[in-house]
Amino acid sequence: MTPAMRTGPGPSSGTPAPARLLRAVGRPLSSLPLAAAVRGAVALATPLLVGVLTGWVVPPVFATIGALWAVGQDGSDPYRSRVGRFVALGLSASLGLAGGQLALRNGPSAVVTACLVVAALVAGAIGLRGRIWSVAGMHLLLGVTIGSGIPVPGPWWQAPLALFAGVGFVLVLSAAPWLLRRHQIERAALFAVFRAASTALAAAGTPGAAETRRHLTDALDNAHQAMDRHLTAARRQPPDARVEPLLRAFRLAVRLGEAVTTLQWEARPLPAVVSRVPLVMSARLLPVRNDGAVPVRPDFAPDSPGLRALARLSVTAGAERVDTALDAPASPRPARQAHLRYAVLLALCVLAAQVCAGLLHSPRAYWLPMTVAFVYKPDFGPVFRRALHRCVGTVVGVAAIGAVSMAIHSTYAFIGVVAFFGALMAVGVRHHYALATTGLTAVVFVLVDLLGDHRALYGARILDTTLAAALVLVVHFVAWPRSAGSRADCRTEAALAAAHRYRDLSPIVGPDRRQALRRDAYRQLADARRAAVHARREPVLRGTELPDWERAITSAEELCDAVTARALHAAPGPAPQTTVSVASSHAM
């Protein structure tokens, strides 16, 4: 039962996976997502406890499966985004589970296999179209895999409804804080912008300036996503009194981003007091209590456009309304050929896994195709690393649940074990996929046991996982070895085009449009940098020279910084005319 856990770019590929796993486990307590861990424990244990108390076990087990998948999609993004993701997950997984059950109940093994292959084709066709589609496609395939691999007593519609209820339970737990802290996510995103701006100002004129500027632009992009609903509503009608301070803070944060970028572009170390200005602004704009606090004017002499802009922002914070109706930029997507190729290869891997599963331990051989469905997600990160982490997590999870099974025998104790590993999985989703897989594997063993399968499958599950990972790696790197490189090429080309568009249009458009172009450029450059990191973590043939995507991206970032500084200087003359291209920046 593998949720679609998305992980961003992790540590350097030179660090061994076990060492990174131990580092993730050893994070300071303050950095762990304790609220998410509690949600994971409650979401997985509650349905099982209800089932044991009522004697009605099967539906609660499937509700726990739905909760398991939903915990893998839980996050700290805006509530509206979570709702869309959970709804897509619940509907697609329930539909897949119903289809798989009908195929298992009414047809021979060939029908089950055909159902799996069709589901894989659909999942692959829609899986590269964006986050929501990716989640829906993967869980459609997972639902079919579970439905066609586990005979379920009772009406065919009962398990899908229970699974959807489990997803809904996680949605309620995840969105419940909205009732008490209505705008906490927006406030946290805005505070992150001002903190990142403070760090960036402190790094001005140092070698680490570029990295802090990237963190600032990422924080601005996250703030825009968090504020998008309020910005859209504010264009139609005046905002209420609770939202207006957030909009004012966001508008100033956008202007602050330009000022900080300009100060970094000037490449001069700044007085320490300057780096505290964004924090003073945040205290004024987003006070913890409405005590009417007045900001302290920083003691420095503004002698550059960046400092003058920063001084104006710090003194007039909130006094001036700037409409920043920024349109969310469209992210580049793979070409239709990539969608088709991924769909065919995913279907081929699922077919091979199903055949191997039937030969190894039929009829309850869902683990192999299920593992393939999860591992083969090139849009979620390097395929090789995902396969490796899946194997490591499975081995550790099997060892952990095996040790626990020898020590305890009470059903209620096993529910406590599910709660513990559910919390571990919720932490792993945010920090390390192998850690998430460890928790997930242990939970699945308990669920399978509650469904009546008491076989000792420890060695079989390790074998299944290893075989499924090997199938994916062989098919993927034989038939599509340039997958990650092509994605990096695509995103880099799109990012460079966005940077050139910002350069060309910035001198002739208004501030609102300039901000939209700036956000588009920096966001796509960040996406391109992540794609390049992923591509370098995939194995390549000996002697293959990868393009120098990073140099092209860095040059484009420097171009955007110069354009931003030019706009703030408002100096006469043409905009910088540096042209950056993928072809000219590296050897193909």
Side-chain angles (χ1 to χ4, degrees):
M1 294 84 178
T2 313
M5 288 168 284
R6 184 185 184 103
T7 55
S12 170
S13 58
T15 305
R20 297 201 299 272
L21 177 60
L22 291 174
R23 189 164 60 238
V25 174
R27 287 177 183 268
L29 188 63
S30 60
S31 70
L32 296 179
L34 296 180
V38 171
R39 287 199 298 269
V42 172
L44 269 60
T46 301
L48 296 181
L49 185 60
V50 171
V52 171
L53 292 176
T54 61
W56 202 34
V57 176
V58 173
V61 166
F62 278 91
T64 303
I65 293 174
L68 186 70
W69 291 345
V71 166
Q73 288 297 329
D74 196 8
S76 57
D77 50 337
Y79 293 113
R80 177 172 292 191
S81 300
R82 292 187 225 176
V83 170
R85 194 163 60 249
F86 284 135
V87 170
L89 187 161
L91 290 176
S92 60
S94 300
L95 178 63
L97 180 60
Q101 280 197 84
L102 290 174
L104 182 64
R105 294 182 184 207
N106 302 313
S109 59
V111 173
V112 172
T113 301
C115 184
L116 277 169
V117 171
V118 170
L121 286 171
V122 173
I126 67 176
L128 301 182
R129 297 181 179 275
R131 179 74 186 277
I132 295 294
W133 287 105
S134 181
V135 168
M138 164 169 258
H139 288 87
L140 173 70
L141 179 54
L142 289 174
V144 172
T145 302
I146 298 302
S148 62
I150 300 179
V152 182
W156 65 268
W157 48 264
Q158 189 178 79
L161 284 181
L163 187 145
F164 190 83
V167 175
F169 183 42
V170 177
L171 172 58
V172 170
L173 292 176
S174 182
W178 179 79
L179 299 174
L180 301 175
R181 299 179 295 172
R182 182 69 56 94
H183 304 301
Q184 180 62 27
I185 289 177
E186 293 89 335
R187 289 173 60 87
L190 291 169
F191 271 123
V193 174
F194 289 102
R195 286 194 298 269
S198 176
T199 303
L201 288 173
T206 69
E211 187 64 25
T212 60
R213 199 271 306 143
R214 294 186 194 112
H215 291 161
L216 173 59
T217 53
D218 285 345
L220 275 168
D221 188 62
N222 291 335
H224 190 280
Q225 294 182 43
M227 293 294 298
D228 185 65
R229 178 171 63 92
H230 303 300
L231 292 168
T232 302
R235 297 172 203 153
R236 297 193 299 264
Q237 60 185 14
D240 61 39
R242 291 174 299 180
V243 175
E244 178 59 32
L246 298 175
L247 292 172
R248 188 162 52 245
F250 174 73
R251 295 178 186 115
L252 268 295
V254 170
R255 295 178 57 192
L256 175 65
E258 280 195 331
V260 172
T261 300
T262 300
L263 286 166
Q264 284 203 338
W265 180 78
E266 292 171 354
R268 294 183 299 168
L270 299 172
V273 68
V274 176
S275 66
R276 295 197 294 270
V277 172
L279 302 180
V280 173
M281 292 172 63
S282 66
R284 166 70 182 271
L285 294 165
L286 300 164
V288 177
R289 296 186 306 272
N290 294 323
D291 53 5
V294 178
V296 179
R297 181 169 181 170
D299 183 19
F300 63 85
D303 59 348
S304 76
L307 287 173
R308 285 197 297 272
L310 199 60
R312 288 197 302 271
L313 285 172
S314 64
V315 174
T316 64
E320 183 177 355
R321 181 182 178 89
V322 180
D323 289 326
T324 50
L326 309 183
D327 297 325
S331 299
R333 293 173 179 171
R336 181 176 301 178
Q337 182 181 4
H339 289 259
L340 179 61
R341 180 179 293 189
Y342 173 55
V344 171
L345 293 181
L346 178 61
L348 181 61
C349 289
V350 168
L351 175 60
Q354 181 69 0
V355 171
C356 292
L359 295 174
L360 288 174
H361 39 77
S362 181
R364 306 188 67 163
Y366 51 85
W367 194 280
L368 259 163
M370 182 189 68
T371 304
V372 166
F374 175 74
V375 171
Y376 201 9
K377 289 294 293 177
D379 57 320
F380 277 10
V383 175
F384 179 80
R385 193 175 66 160
R386 294 175 66 78
L388 175 63
H389 290 178
R390 173 70 181 176
C391 292
V392 171
T394 300
V395 171
V396 176
V398 165
I401 195 63
V404 169
S405 298
M406 290 188 295
I408 64 174
H409 303 284
S410 167
T411 301
Y412 292 102
F414 273 108
I415 293 177
V417 169
V418 168
F420 172 79
F421 283 106
L424 183 68
M425 175 182 158
V427 173
V429 165
R430 290 156 178 80
H431 290 300
H432 201 289
Y433 175 60
L435 188 64
T437 303
T438 297
L440 178 141
T441 302
V443 170
V444 169
F445 269 92
V446 177
L447 297 181
V448 170
D449 186 76
L450 290 174
L451 286 175
D453 189 351
H454 306 300
R455 292 177 295 174
L457 298 174
Y458 303 119
R461 291 317 178 212
I462 294 175
L463 174 63
D464 287 353
T465 301
T466 305
L467 182 56
L471 278 173
V472 168
L473 294 178
V474 170
V475 171
H476 179 66
F477 288 110
V478 168
W480 202 7
R482 276 280 298 163
S483 169
S486 298
R487 181 181 294 271
D489 284 342
C490 172
R491 292 196 177 274
T492 302
E493 291 284 4
L496 300 187
H500 292 151
R501 187 164 57 250
Y502 176 44
R503 178 203 63 190
D504 296 337
L505 297 180
S506 179
I508 59 176
V509 299
D512 298 349
R513 180 60 179 159
R514 188 179 71 243
Q515 294 288 357
L517 292 167
R518 179 177 180 271
R519 178 178 181 242
D520 187 6
Y522 281 125
R523 181 182 182 181
Q524 294 206 39
L525 286 166
D527 288 344
R529 190 174 289 278
R530 283 189 288 270
V533 170
H534 289 170
R536 295 201 183 281
R537 287 175 176 167
E538 296 283 30
V540 295
L541 295 176
R542 184 181 299 274
T544 301
E545 184 178 357
L546 293 176
D548 193 356
W549 298 293
E550 291 84 357
R551 189 170 70 174
I553 294 167
T554 299
S555 299
E557 288 173 340
E558 293 171 352
L559 171 63
C560 290
D561 292 348
V563 171
T564 300
R566 170 77 65 174
L568 210 58
H569 276 261
Q577 290 300 312
T578 303
T579 299
V580 186
S581 68
V582 178
S584 64
S585 300
H586 59 262
M588 294 298 291

